[in-house]
Amino acid sequence: MNNGFIKVACATPKIKVGDCEYNAKEICKLIDEVYDNGAQFVVFPELCITGYTCSDLFWQQHMLKNAKKKLVAIAKHCEDKEIVAIVGLPLVYNGKLYNVAAVVYDGEILGIVPKSYIPNYSEFYEARHFVSGKGVEGYVSFEVTKDEWSLEENCKEGFDYKIYMTENGKVDFKHNQDDFDEDDWEDDEEDDEDWDDDYDDEIPFGTNILFDCVNIENFKFAIEICEDLWVPNPPSTNYAMAGATVIANLSASDEVTGKDNYRKNLVAGQSARTISAYLYADAGEGESSTDLVFAAHNMIAENGTILAEAKRFTNETVYAEIDLEKLAAERQRMNTFTAVSDDDYEICEIDLELEEFELSREIDNTPFVPKDEEKRNKRCEEILTIQTMGLKKRLEHTNCKNAVIGISGGLDSTLALIVTVRAFDALNIDRSNIIAVTMPGFGTTDRTYNNAVELTKALGATLIEVNIKKAVKQHFSDIGHDENVKDLTYENSQARERTQILMDMASKYRGFVVGTGDLSELALGWATYNGDHMSMYGVNNSIPKTLIKYLIKYFADTTSDSNLKEILYDILDTPVSPELLPPDENGNIAQITEDVVGPYELHDFFLYNMMRLSFEPKKIFYIANIAFKNKYDKKTIYKWLRNYYWRFFSQQFKRSCLPDGPKVGSVSLSPRGDWRMPSDAVSKLWLAQMDEIEKTL
């Protein structure tokens, strides 16, 4: 199995209304095409064997019987193919006509599901012919009488099975002549029991059927038909609660102006509501008849996202790879997604062996950052507002009129200062009450120092400079550390000195310290404990490094201050660094964070897929290689993924005592909210799987 992915399709055959033989051949052609393209699950439109617009021809027994025969032919066509196909047809059951979907696999008809809701308004008059299958349960047999199906007529070229008559006037299906014994012609009922009859068994019929692919974890599907989706409580809701992760909808939805957007919203919305993959197969060219036009608006959605959508009026087959593990993880995470027992359902098991295929689905390499500029700008404004309102509330609650913030000229402190300015503006407090403290140390460069100074001035905050070199050297002397040894003590002493200054400044000005640390640093533990790790309110706590850049860029792009814009652009171009080690001989930053811990774009990708989707290391490694295939090789991704797991587990103790801060997205490491992990949990299981991955490199 491809790490939880399965390739599926929605296909619309070009049909002729009422011509079951032609339609069945077109369906079989598409089954072959879909299978050749690597998909193993395909959904066809509503009533596709006959056509949806047959009208009163649905009362014609001859067409109904032929539809039934062609379903058998389609099933036989799928024999020895690892593909599940779902087709629509009219079917008589207990004297009533139903609009049904039939599931075929490996030459067998596994189950038949009737339509629950029969529309009878506007252009729809289905109730003239069909009855509702809601609540109907039973079994059907695909034996047909001699009178219904003559041997001569149906043993034609193109069918890979033979038909043999029993003594009671019924027919049986045999794969070949070798399976047939002349004794079967005798009028002996006992002989009938020994026949190899594929369709002699009763086939489940009803809306209480779930189909379980036992060889594929988390792959359980169910069926609804067209109007079933448009009602207040679609059957798929209950199917999903009973365990179905994939919903197939066989539809014949005619086109009127604007209906496509509504239909698309329905499909996406129901897939989100049920946390499922939703496959919508729509009638198209060839179906259009009399007053109605159909556009084959095929769609595949996954938990609210449209993965594939056909161009209307083209009968286009659409493909997508469904992430079953992702769906399962989402359901597990949401305890309000109530699961119910499947005891009331008929479970039809399918022994589908998943074949390997190349994943074509796009894997977002920046899951925290929308690709679309309009959506990204909207999100940036929303995040800045959430941060602002969180800080505003804390200032109001503490009755603080002053705030203290360490300003370094880097990304994190820049964003924190912007948010603080917005909060003070919202409270109508003068920006001069913001105490921005720049604290040059051994690693401070002219570039970052000047940007810190100029940014503070441009935003109207009060700038205070405290050079920490003398104090840190005294500290080295006090603890007996050689200042020429540039180790962790050398670095952390500077970070803690800066934090002490900020805390004491907060006392002096009767304010509190606004923290600058971000989500990516917290995940990696890239912070000095009780140093930059600590504050009185951390406005960036749930914002990853890859997103911080866009938040600052958005603010720069939307400001009318050209001087401020220029400063912000230069900050964006500055390498990420804690500046705790001396600059190089040219005065440039020598300590590049990403050279030490790895690229933040990789770590943010790892973080999202581990935290938000609960993926295993092998799954994250697999999709990371697809997402970053043009930028990083497998060994590089492996190196930093292993580093990520080691750091994530070893640094939990820092996250266990984080300051308050606003949650802005779906991933947070707050110990009071989203993430409650023992500080002493070990990474052995995760690193063991990394060891297995290493063997494949």
Side-chain angles (χ1 to χ4, degrees):
M1 186 175 184
N2 287 31
N3 289 281
F5 293 100
I6 180 170
K7 190 170 184 178
V8 299
C10 292
T12 301
K14 184 177 180 180
I15 71 160
K16 295 180 180 179
V17 178
D19 191 340
C20 298
E21 182 175 358
Y22 176 87
N23 299 339
K25 288 180 179 179
E26 291 299 305
I27 291 169
C28 289
K29 287 180 184 178
L30 282 177
I31 289 173
D32 292 342
E33 179 184 305
V34 166
Y35 189 63
D36 290 342
N37 282 321
Q40 292 181 260
F41 187 87
V42 58
V43 185
F44 290 93
E46 180 180 12
L47 296 169
C48 56
I49 291 179
T50 59
Y52 176 79
T53 54
C54 288
S55 293
D56 286 357
L57 290 177
F58 285 125
W59 286 331
Q60 295 295 310
Q61 296 302 306
H62 183 60
M63 189 182 73
L64 298 179
K65 293 172 185 177
N66 269 275
K68 193 173 179 181
K69 298 174 200 174
K70 300 312 173 187
L71 174 60
V72 173
I74 294 168
K76 285 292 184 182
H77 185 80
C78 293
E79 193 166 27
D80 299 325
K81 292 185 177 73
E82 288 296 325
I83 187 170
V84 175
I86 307 175
V87 297
L89 73 156
L91 184 68
V92 176
Y93 174 70
N94 283 347
K96 297 294 183 181
L97 184 61
Y98 293 88
N99 179 343
V100 307
V103 178
V104 301
Y105 170 67
D106 194 22
E108 297 184 15
I109 303 167
L110 300 181
I112 297 174
V113 179
K115 189 173 183 176
S116 292
Y117 295 92
I118 309 299
N120 216 52
Y121 57 87
S122 299
E123 66 265 40
F124 306 107
Y125 50 92
E126 288 183 35
R128 180 176 173 90
H129 311 108
F130 300 104
V131 298
S132 169
K134 188 176 182 180
V136 177
E137 301 175 13
Y139 297 87
V140 297
S141 172
F142 267 61
E143 295 176 301
V144 291
T145 65
K146 177 182 177 182
D147 293 337
E148 291 174 337
W149 193 355
S150 74
L151 302 182
E152 182 179 358
E153 178 188 353
N154 290 283
C155 286
K156 294 181 179 179
E157 184 178 356
F159 292 91
D160 58 356
Y161 59 89
K162 302 292 183 180
I163 306 167
Y164 302 97
M165 185 171 60
T166 69
E167 59 86 25
N168 58 1
K170 302 287 185 176
V171 298
D172 271 342
F173 305 90
K174 302 289 184 180
H175 292 95
N176 53 62
Q177 187 65 42
D178 294 335
D179 293 334
F180 176 68
D181 190 331
E182 291 292 340
D183 293 337
D184 291 334
W185 289 91
E186 299 177 2
D187 295 340
D188 189 347
E189 294 185 5
E190 294 181 358
D191 290 337
D192 294 341
E193 299 176 359
D194 298 327
W195 284 27
D196 181 18
D197 182 358
D198 289 341
Y199 300 92
D200 194 37
D201 294 333
E202 292 186 319
I203 300 166
F205 179 99
T207 54
N208 66 325
I209 305 175
L210 294 176
F211 300 87
D212 188 5
C213 296
V214 295
N215 291 66
I216 305 173
E217 191 174 5
N218 301 314
F219 188 21
K220 186 179 289 185
F221 67 90
I223 300 167
E224 59 188 15
I225 301 174
C226 200
E227 188 75 10
D228 294 348
L229 172 62
W230 300 66
V231 301
N233 186 26
S236 52
T237 301
N238 291 327
Y239 288 142
M241 292 170 64
T245 53
V246 177
I247 306 296
N249 186 308
L250 293 76
S251 184
S253 181
D254 65 311
E255 291 301 307
V256 294
T257 302
K259 190 176 181 180
D260 60 320
N261 288 328
Y262 188 77
R263 185 189 300 119
K264 183 176 179 178
N265 289 333
L266 276 179
V267 170
Q270 189 62 5
S271 75
R273 192 173 297 107
T274 56
I275 314 180
S276 68
Y278 200 99
L279 280 63
Y280 186 92
D282 192 20
E285 185 181 358
E287 184 70 83
S288 302
S289 179
T290 313
D291 296 325
L292 302 181
V293 174
F294 298 83
H297 192 192
N298 296 331
M299 290 173 280
I300 302 174
E302 180 187 274
N303 195 22
T305 299
I306 300 293
L307 300 180
E309 181 180 8
K311 182 180 180 181
R312 290 187 300 151
F313 305 103
T314 62
N315 278 34
E316 178 186 0
T317 300
V318 296
Y319 299 87
E321 294 99 14
I322 296 167
D323 193 342
L324 298 170
E325 289 182 356
K326 179 180 178 180
L327 294 171
E330 289 284 359
R331 289 186 177 184
Q332 183 179 348
R333 185 180 65 88
M334 292 183 60
N335 71 320
T336 53
F337 186 89
T338 307
V340 299
S341 172
D342 61 7
D343 290 346
D344 295 331
Y345 291 87
E346 177 91 21
I347 308 297
C348 293
E349 293 187 347
I350 300 177
D351 205 13
L352 179 66
E353 293 287 347
L354 194 61
E355 299 177 354
E356 291 296 319
F357 58 87
E358 184 175 347
L359 195 67
S360 62
R361 159 176 179 155
E362 182 181 357
I363 303 296
D364 191 355
N365 58 12
T366 57
F368 290 105
V369 183
K371 291 287 193 299
D372 180 78
E373 185 177 1
E374 183 179 350
K375 291 181 180 179
R376 186 170 62 241
N377 288 341
K378 181 181 179 182
R379 182 168 298 182
C380 286
E381 178 59 38
E382 187 175 29
I383 290 172
L384 286 170
T385 301
I386 293 172
Q387 290 177 282
T388 298
M389 297 307 293
L391 180 57
K392 175 177 175 288
K393 172 62 178 179
R394 181 55 54 89
L395 289 165
E396 287 177 316
H397 179 72
T398 56
N399 199 32
C400 282
K401 306 298 182 186
N402 301 286
V404 177
I405 182 170
I407 188 75
S408 67
L411 293 171
D412 293 347
S413 64
T414 297
L415 178 60
L417 182 57
I418 290 171
V419 170
T420 305
V421 165
R422 287 169 58 111
F424 272 59
D425 289 350
L427 291 167
N428 294 314
I429 302 174
D430 196 282
R431 293 183 182 183
S432 63
N433 287 25
I434 302 171
I435 312 301
V437 187
T438 183
M439 295 166 283
F442 304 125
T444 304
T445 60
D446 291 342
R447 181 181 187 180
T448 55
Y449 172 79
N450 291 331
N451 279 338
V453 172
E454 295 304 317
L455 177 67
T456 302
K457 292 179 180 178
L459 289 173
T462 298
L463 178 67
I464 295 178
E465 180 177 334
V466 180
N467 194 304
I468 67 169
K469 294 178 183 177
K470 183 178 179 181
V472 174
K473 286 183 178 182
Q474 180 62 51
H475 182 62
F476 288 159
S477 176
D478 292 341
I479 66 173
H481 181 74
D482 185 349
E483 65 181 79
N484 295 312
V485 179
K486 298 179 176 55
D487 57 4
L488 281 178
T489 302
Y490 181 90
E491 295 183 33
N492 290 341
S493 295
Q494 298 174 71
R496 292 194 176 99
E497 179 63 26
R498 286 170 171 156
T499 301
Q500 176 180 267
I501 291 170
L502 295 175
M503 293 292 181
D504 290 343
M505 284 281 190
S507 296
K508 179 179 178 180
Y509 291 97
R510 297 195 175 187
F512 64 76
V513 177
V514 177
T516 63
D518 63 58
L519 180 65
S520 304
E521 293 176 343
L522 293 172
L524 297 170
W526 190 248
T528 300
Y529 191 84
N530 208 34
D532 54 323
H533 152 262
M534 189 49 60
S535 66
M536 296 166 182
Y537 193 79
V539 293
N540 298 338
N541 281 1
S542 64
I543 303 177
K545 191 75 75 177
T546 50
L547 181 56
I548 285 179
K549 292 181 178 181
Y550 285 96
L551 289 166
I552 295 173
K553 184 178 184 301
Y554 168 77
F555 189 82
D557 291 342
T558 55
T559 184
S560 58
D561 188 332
S562 58
N563 178 52
L564 177 59
K565 190 188 297 287
E566 184 178 349
I567 296 167
L568 291 172
Y569 284 158
D570 192 66
I571 290 172
L572 287 167
D573 289 336
T574 304
V576 177
S577 172
E579 291 193 310
L580 298 174
L581 295 177
D584 63 19
E585 62 273 12
N586 299 315
N588 297 320
I589 295 172
Q591 187 183 21
I592 307 298
T593 298
E594 291 180 292
D595 290 345
V596 180
V597 299
Y600 276 118
E601 61 181 347
L602 281 179
H603 286 304
D604 286 353
F605 182 87
F606 302 154
L607 174 65
Y608 181 88
N609 285 285
M610 175 191 176
M611 296 296 300
R612 181 65 178 82
L613 302 174
S614 303
F615 286 164
E616 298 178 274
K618 65 178 183 180
K619 176 70 168 280
I620 296 176
F621 179 74
Y622 174 74
I623 61 176
N625 278 286
I626 296 172
F628 296 97
K629 62 183 177 181
N630 297 321
K631 193 167 186 179
Y632 302 105
D633 60 30
K634 288 186 176 182
K635 289 185 177 180
T636 301
I637 292 173
Y638 171 83
K639 172 186 175 182
W640 293 121
L641 180 57
R642 189 179 189 92
N643 179 267
Y644 167 82
Y645 279 113
W646 179 82
R647 295 194 68 94
F648 186 89
F649 277 86
S650 65
Q651 302 295 299
Q652 173 61 27
F653 71 97
K654 295 179 182 177
R655 299 189 291 267
S656 293
C657 55
L658 286 179
D660 294 344
K663 178 182 177 179
V664 303
S666 59
V667 177
S668 171
L669 292 173
S670 169
R672 297 164 297 277
D674 291 50
W675 188 244
R676 306 179 190 191
M677 170 183 169
S679 296
D680 304 311
V682 296
S683 58
K684 181 180 179 181
L685 287 176
W686 288 262
L687 294 181
Q689 194 168 100
M690 293 302 302
D691 290 340
E692 292 300 312
I693 294 171
E694 187 177 19
K695 296 176 183 177
T696 67
L697 299 179

